[in-house]
Amino acid sequence: MMFKKLRRYVTIFRVFYRYGLFSALYSEVNSYYVSNRRNLCTADIRNRKNAENLRMALEELGPTFVKLGQMLSKRPDLVPAVYVEELSRLQDNVRRVDFELMKAAFGGFACRPSDDADIGRDFDVLEVFDEFNTTPIACASIAQVYEAVYQGKKVAVKITKPDLINIINLDLAILDDLKPLIVRALGLGSNFDIDAFLFEFRDVLNRELDLRNEARNLKRFRDNFEGVEGIHVPGVYEDFSNENVLIMDYMEGIPVRKLSRIPADKRRWYAKLISSSYLKQVYIDGFYHADPHSSNILLQEDGIAYIDFGAVGSIDDQLRRNMLNLFYGIYKKKVDIVFEAFLKISGIYKEDIDVRRFKIDLDDIISKQNYSVGERQSDNYATLGLKYDLSLPSEFSTLERALILIEANCLELDPKFNLLENAKPVITQVFMKRYSPFEAAEYLQLEGDRYLEIIKELPQGVSDVIETIRGYRIEKLEKKSSEIKRYKLADTISKYVFLLAILITSTYLAAEGTGYLPLIGILGFSSAIVLFGIMFFKRT
């Protein structure tokens, strides 16, 4: 194991050296400078070249590093836009594996019972299909996709590449060793949690290596879009699908980036359909396609089809509510609403930032999203996060990257596309649903038992509180009484000592004094005896 790890280290450093990444990675990639999209400056050109070299190096190092680059491309709050753009291309141009090696993924089928006489014999997997094209139609870092015909229907067959797990585990161990270098090289802020990021990265790899997760995602999306006109999601064939193989409907269509000439109104219709369906996924379903790049959305005559559901995202009710409030504040042009929503999303306090400067930047974002035409706006929040060194939740960052891709697809179709304009109907729909009587009744029904239990326990709770207060008061009273007793005892002792001193002095004067001193001594002695008697009987 140690020898394999050392050899892998040598390979990584050799690749990084060949692409000149050591000097590039140690430069300040997050620096701010004046730039123009149409007239690139020297810093733009240098960063673009560095980003391109990084992409090629990650492709050469294999699936773990390709997935790492893809995950970084989904975090525009961590890496600059030019790196996000370049790393997003990592899903393309991956070298394919020969089908004879890929067939190992079907190994589990050899044990399936059959109606044939020779039950349990080893069979050629190609016999399962009516037709099977052994040349892949798509190659990714973890799997390849083939075109086939199964039970008379055209299907897509996704197969994971062989011997991935050992390589991935070795690379994960190396990445764990290189944590300080990664933070330093990428110029990540002090709020960035590298351990949480790598944990999430391992979780993503685990999910994508098991194609049963993608099968479940497909079923869930089909259920969410049941009855929605114009949105198509592939069905799953479970008979011969397992953790390494996924058989699903083949979706015909044209990718957005390969769109041929069609009328402008049809293009606008496609853009509206893509944006509305995606906003539904986010704000209504809370479950969305996390990698909606142009190859994963196919344009069909009657609508669009989503494919490749290996990467999905989900957001809880609280984050969804805060994000909706953010959008609502932008829609209503209310800086304070946007400010409060963004604070809740990022988990920061007003004391941690320059509030005045921050609100000025938010006002600029509101202006851009309401009045800009034909410009990408979804990465504004990532830019804001970079500027103020904010660690945005990974769910928010993943979603923002997905919205950037959706916005890019829609701008490709409609140069005047504005995401906020298309979001208004969805925002209205969600708010109407949130505050509808039916939603309130459903909420009360779901929460009724819990509230009823609280009401039932309320008298006992009040009684416990009263007993606690009473016990506290008694304890305080006893403590006070003890202190008073101590003070009284000290006072009594001091009085007895004082009278004893008078008694001794008076006795001495009566016995040894001359002139009037014996008389004073007798009077003092008598007085002391009387006082002793009074104190004794009073105490008794």
Side-chain angles (χ1 to χ4, degrees), residues 505-523:
T505 304
S506 299
T507 303
Y508 176 79
L509 291 176
E512 301 292 336
T514 59
Y516 294 105
L517 291 179
L519 181 61
I520 294 173
I522 293 170
L523 291 174

Side-chain angles (χ1 to χ4, degrees), residues 237-519:
Y237 296 81
E238 297 186 15
D239 293 342
F240 290 100
S241 294
N242 63 18
E243 64 271 19
N244 297 317
V245 179
L246 175 61
I247 305 173
M248 51 195 160
D249 290 326
Y250 186 92
M251 307 304 286
E252 304 280 358
I254 305 169
V256 173
R257 62 178 179 174
K258 296 181 180 179
L259 186 67
S260 57
R261 294 181 178 274
I262 60 172
D265 57 341
K266 184 76 170 179
R267 297 169 72 95
R268 285 193 294 271
W269 179 73
Y270 278 131
K272 187 174 181 179
L273 193 59
I274 290 171
S275 64
S276 61
S277 66
Y278 205 79
L279 291 168
K280 174 190 180 302
Q281 294 174 39
V282 174
Y283 293 110
I284 296 177
D285 303 331
F287 184 70
Y288 61 93
H289 195 304
D291 195 23
H293 61 82
S294 56
S295 297
N296 285 342
I297 301 178
L298 303 178
L299 306 181
Q300 301 175 329
E301 186 61 34
D302 64 338
I304 61 171
Y306 286 97
I307 60 173
D308 191 0
F309 290 84
V312 297
S314 60
I315 51 177
D316 58 33
D317 289 340
Q318 184 178 359
L319 181 58
R320 198 184 334 170
R321 180 180 291 267
N322 291 333
M323 289 176 60
L324 190 65
N325 290 341
L326 182 75
F327 255 95
Y328 180 77
I330 292 171
Y331 169 43
K332 289 293 185 179
K333 308 179 189 66
K334 301 289 187 181
V335 176
D336 289 333
I337 295 177
V338 178
F339 176 69
E340 293 296 334
F342 200 88
L343 287 185
K344 290 177 181 177
I345 290 171
S346 59
I348 61 171
Y349 299 100
K350 296 179 182 180
E351 297 79 14
D352 298 332
I353 56 172
D354 183 344
V355 174
R356 187 186 66 84
R357 185 73 253 174
F358 195 81
K359 285 189 175 183
I360 290 174
D361 289 334
L362 284 177
D363 187 69
D364 188 48
I365 290 176
I366 292 172
S367 178
K368 286 179 180 178
Q369 296 219 233
N370 279 281
Y371 302 113
S372 294
V373 176
E375 294 182 32
R376 196 176 72 193
Q377 302 297 334
S378 295
D379 53 356
N380 289 328
Y381 308 108
T383 305
L384 198 64
L386 277 173
K387 182 174 181 179
Y388 288 92
D389 190 22
L390 304 178
S391 181
L392 299 173
S394 59
E395 299 90 343
F396 181 81
S397 302
T398 301
L399 174 59
E400 187 176 15
R401 187 261 181 182
L403 287 172
I404 290 171
L405 294 175
I406 286 291
E407 196 172 28
N409 290 328
C410 293
L411 285 170
E412 181 79 20
L413 293 165
D414 179 11
K416 295 183 178 180
F417 174 80
N418 184 297
L419 184 63
L420 185 62
E421 284 296 321
N422 287 268
K424 288 176 182 178
V426 177
I427 292 173
T428 303
Q429 182 182 353
V430 174
F431 270 104
M432 288 179 65
K433 182 182 177 183
R434 181 193 291 183
Y435 299 110
S436 68
F438 175 78
E439 190 78 9
E442 185 179 30
Y443 178 80
L444 288 174
Q445 183 180 354
L446 291 173
E447 297 293 322
D449 290 341
R450 189 164 68 89
Y451 286 122
L452 184 61
E453 193 67 27
I454 291 172
I455 292 170
K456 284 168 60 179
E457 294 178 358
L458 189 60
Q460 182 61 42
V462 172
S463 177
D464 290 343
V465 171
I466 292 171
E467 287 299 323
T468 302
I469 294 171
R470 183 182 295 162
Y472 175 75
R473 291 180 63 185
I474 291 172
E475 182 183 351
K476 291 287 287 183
L477 185 60
E478 289 177 348
K479 185 178 178 182
K480 192 70 177 175
S481 299
S482 178
E483 290 177 358
I484 291 171
K485 287 178 180 177
R486 286 201 301 271
Y487 288 138
K488 283 185 175 180
L489 180 61
D491 182 60
T492 302
I493 291 172
S494 64
K495 287 179 179 177
Y496 278 125
V497 170
F498 177 71
L499 289 176
L500 184 61
I502 293 175
L503 191 65
I504 294 171
T505 304
S506 299
T507 303
Y508 176 79
L509 291 176
E512 301 292 336
T514 59
Y516 294 105
L517 291 179
L519 181 61

Side-chain angles (χ1 to χ4, degrees), residues 32-276:
Y32 298 100
Y33 51 86
V34 178
S35 178
N36 187 299
R37 294 184 182 181
R38 297 182 182 275
N39 183 18
L40 301 179
C41 64
T42 304
D44 282 318
I45 297 170
R46 184 184 66 248
N47 282 345
R48 184 159 296 180
K49 181 62 178 175
N50 291 340
E52 184 180 356
N53 288 339
L54 177 61
R55 175 183 60 80
M56 291 188 293
L58 294 178
E59 284 178 347
E60 188 169 332
L61 288 172
T64 310
F65 288 88
V66 169
K67 280 295 170 188
L68 179 64
Q70 290 176 348
M71 192 163 174
L72 285 172
S73 75
K74 298 174 184 179
R75 295 300 302 267
D77 59 316
L78 301 180
V79 295
V82 64
Y83 281 79
V84 169
E85 183 179 350
E86 192 64 38
L87 293 175
S88 298
R89 298 175 54 196
L90 279 166
Q91 47 258 2
D92 301 326
N93 305 320
V94 178
R95 285 190 292 272
R96 71 182 186 184
V97 176
D98 188 83
F99 183 72
E100 288 302 314
L101 297 174
M102 299 293 291
K103 284 170 65 174
F106 289 90
F109 295 164
C111 299
R112 286 180 177 272
S114 171
D115 294 333
D116 298 336
D118 49 348
I119 293 177
R121 69 177 176 86
D122 291 336
F123 62 89
D124 186 349
V125 69
L126 298 182
E127 295 178 6
V128 173
F129 299 92
D130 303 333
E131 298 176 25
F132 197 102
N133 182 2
T134 57
T135 302
I137 58 175
C139 297
S141 57
I142 285 179
Q144 294 182 172
V145 182
Y146 298 85
E147 184 181 350
V149 176
Y150 177 65
Q151 296 180 351
K153 297 180 181 178
K154 194 172 182 180
V155 296
V157 183
K158 188 172 185 177
I159 308 173
T160 56
K161 292 181 177 179
D163 302 324
L164 279 181
I165 293 180
N166 290 332
I167 298 172
I168 287 173
N169 283 332
L170 188 62
D171 288 341
L172 287 174
I174 291 173
L175 287 173
D176 198 57
D177 294 340
L178 298 178
K179 284 188 294 189
L181 179 63
I182 294 171
V183 173
R184 166 75 178 170
L186 294 177
L188 302 174
S190 57
N191 289 328
F192 179 68
D193 189 344
I194 183 66
D195 292 312
F197 177 79
L198 290 178
F199 179 83
E200 183 185 354
F201 179 51
R202 289 188 187 93
D203 190 47
V204 167
L205 286 173
N206 278 328
R207 288 199 304 268
E208 294 198 23
L209 282 168
D210 189 344
L211 295 182
R212 291 174 297 185
N213 291 315
E214 185 170 353
R216 285 191 290 269
N217 296 337
L218 282 164
K219 294 176 187 177
R220 186 171 175 180
F221 268 96
R222 281 177 67 85
D223 187 52
N224 288 343
F225 282 99
E226 185 76 31
V228 178
E229 192 174 340
I231 309 299
H232 306 288
V233 179
V236 178
Y237 296 81
E238 297 186 15
D239 293 342
F240 290 100
S241 294
N242 63 18
E243 64 271 19
N244 297 317
V245 179
L246 175 61
I247 305 173
M248 51 195 160
D249 290 326
Y250 186 92
M251 307 304 286
E252 304 280 358
I254 305 169
V256 173
R257 62 178 179 174
K258 296 181 180 179
L259 186 67
S260 57
R261 294 181 178 274
I262 60 172
D265 57 341
K266 184 76 170 179
R267 297 169 72 95
R268 285 193 294 271
W269 179 73
Y270 278 131
K272 187 174 181 179
L273 193 59
I274 290 171
S275 64
S276 61

Side-chain angles (χ1 to χ4, degrees), residues 17-31:
Y17 177 77
R18 183 164 64 251
Y19 287 100
L21 291 178
F22 287 109
S23 59
L25 289 178
Y26 271 96
S27 62
E28 184 58 56
V29 295
N30 283 340
S31 59

